[in-house]
Amino acid sequence: MKNLTNKKEALLYLEEGRLLHGLNDLSEDLQNDPEVIFAYARKWSTTAYRDKKEFFRSSRENMKELLKTNISLELLEDKDLEDPEYMKIAIMSKPDRLRQLFWSSHNGVLKKTIDKEMALFLVRKEGINLRYLRSFQNDEDVVFEAICEDVRSIHYASPRIQCFFGDMVFVDEMKLQDSIQFIKEKIDQIRQLQAKIDFYLQQEDLKYLLQQMSILTEEVELEVQGIAEAKQKVKQKMKDGIISYHGEILYKK
């Protein structure tokens, strides 16, 4: 395919990954069309940045659009990685970049980039993100949301917060791990039944198969519901300001 001139068709081909030679399959006008370039970046961010680096670096707006794609931060210049506005867009678009920046030599930018609203967004996405939010590990609101998403995140809270939420979080964590193990075992049993589906069909015993699948599915659903109810119960206790240690209530606001 060479010198495709129809823009609508070109955008469709880009979305479907049908351009074997990238922008070289398009007319010169389309190769320089911003909408086409951004579509190209959303599909092949690294190649697009390499081919159209001058375009992307020509304005901050173009760079912001690039940062919403899967572009690797390793390809960016140091000044980009030290830019709070750029990094906020990069992290909000792809939260996994938080971990990448934390372990890089540019981790100082996180303190300038992440405000409380952004921290709340990140821990609601994945509670363990609290590990990389050092400025908020002593913030009760942020830690609370992190724990509600994943109780293991309590390990990354400050000592004060760990004492504040205390015993009930770790008890809930143990119960949660038991529930997860139970669900894994039931799912394994479901998979074993699925592997035997041909056997049951040959034996004309489909009714038994469906019955067993239904029982196992219901058990999993009940356990998942139990986890949700337990998390809500802990969440309400925290909102009520109940602090416990080994089951003894030490403080209630």
Side-chain angles (χ1 to χ4, degrees):
M1 182 190 305
K2 285 289 182 182
N3 296 323
L4 191 63
T5 58
N6 184 289
K7 182 175 178 177
K8 186 175 181 180
E9 191 176 7
L11 290 171
L12 178 63
Y13 276 32
L14 276 170
E15 184 179 348
E16 296 177 349
R18 293 167 60 190
L19 296 182
L20 299 179
H21 305 95
L23 294 182
N24 290 329
D25 286 337
L26 307 180
S27 66
E28 187 174 347
D29 286 343
L30 287 180
Q31 288 183 31
N32 294 304
D33 185 293
E35 187 178 358
V36 172
I37 295 173
F38 288 133
Y40 186 41
R42 286 191 292 272
K43 195 68 178 178
W44 295 291
S45 55
T46 300
T47 306
Y49 183 61
R50 182 194 65 200
D51 293 347
K52 290 293 180 180
K53 186 174 182 178
E54 186 176 343
F55 166 79
F56 287 114
R57 304 210 68 87
S58 65
S59 76
R60 289 187 66 84
E61 293 307 312
N62 289 352
M63 283 297 294
K64 289 177 187 178
E65 287 301 315
L66 176 68
L67 290 168
K68 294 175 185 177
T69 72
N70 289 321
I71 187 71
S72 170
L73 298 186
E74 295 176 357
L75 297 176
L76 303 181
E77 298 178 7
D78 287 349
K79 64 180 181 181
D80 301 325
L81 298 172
E82 296 291 344
D83 189 309
E85 185 180 16
Y86 279 175
M87 291 304 98
K88 183 169 186 175
I89 293 170
I91 295 170
M92 293 292 280
S93 301
K94 308 288 178 184
D96 284 350
R97 288 168 170 161
L98 172 64
R99 180 168 54 250
Q100 185 180 351
L101 270 175
F102 180 83
W103 293 113
S104 76
S105 59
H106 302 280
N107 54 25
V109 74
L110 294 176
K111 192 170 183 178
K112 306 173 189 174
T113 301
I114 300 176
D115 55 19
K116 186 167 180 175
E117 182 181 356
M118 188 173 173
L120 288 168
F121 167 82
L122 290 168
V123 296
R124 285 167 182 160
K125 280 280 185 183
E126 192 173 346
I128 296 299
N129 279 334
L130 183 64
R131 177 179 185 178
Y132 313 113
L133 301 171
R134 287 180 173 169
S135 298
F136 296 93
Q137 290 172 349
N138 196 42
D139 186 293
E140 293 168 15
D141 296 327
V142 174
V143 174
F144 166 65
E145 293 295 338
I147 293 170
C148 289
E149 201 288 318
D150 188 332
V151 291
R152 295 173 301 171
S153 59
I154 187 68
H155 297 296
Y156 301 111
S158 68
R160 182 187 76 85
I161 295 290
Q162 287 190 23
C163 290
F164 184 84
F165 289 136
D167 173 65
M168 67 178 169
V169 173
F170 289 102
V171 170
D172 183 63
E173 180 179 355
M174 288 186 285
K175 290 180 180 177
L176 178 62
Q177 296 305 319
D178 289 342
S179 294
I180 290 172
Q181 184 59 39
F182 175 84
I183 290 171
K184 285 180 178 178
E185 290 172 0
K186 294 301 176 183
I187 290 174
D188 284 341
Q189 291 178 36
I190 291 173
R191 286 173 177 162
Q192 289 170 17
L193 283 174
Q194 289 174 330
K196 296 178 180 178
I197 191 167
D198 289 338
F199 169 79
Y200 287 112
L201 286 173
Q202 289 171 7
Q203 300 296 317
E204 297 183 352
D205 203 359
L206 190 59
K207 184 178 180 180
Y208 171 79
L209 175 65
L210 293 175
Q211 183 184 41
Q212 292 301 306
M213 293 279 279
S214 177
I215 291 171
L216 289 169
T217 302
E218 185 177 353
E219 287 180 335
V220 170
E221 288 175 349
L222 286 172
E223 196 67 24
V224 171
Q225 182 181 344
I227 291 173
E229 289 174 354
K231 287 180 71 176
Q232 187 59 39
K233 189 176 180 181
V234 170
K235 192 172 184 178
Q236 189 59 51
K237 281 186 178 180
M238 291 178 180
K239 282 185 176 179
D240 292 341
I242 297 175
I243 305 169
S244 65
Y245 182 72
H246 292 302
E248 180 184 353
I249 295 178
L250 300 181
Y251 169 77
K252 182 176 181 179
K253 68 178 181 180

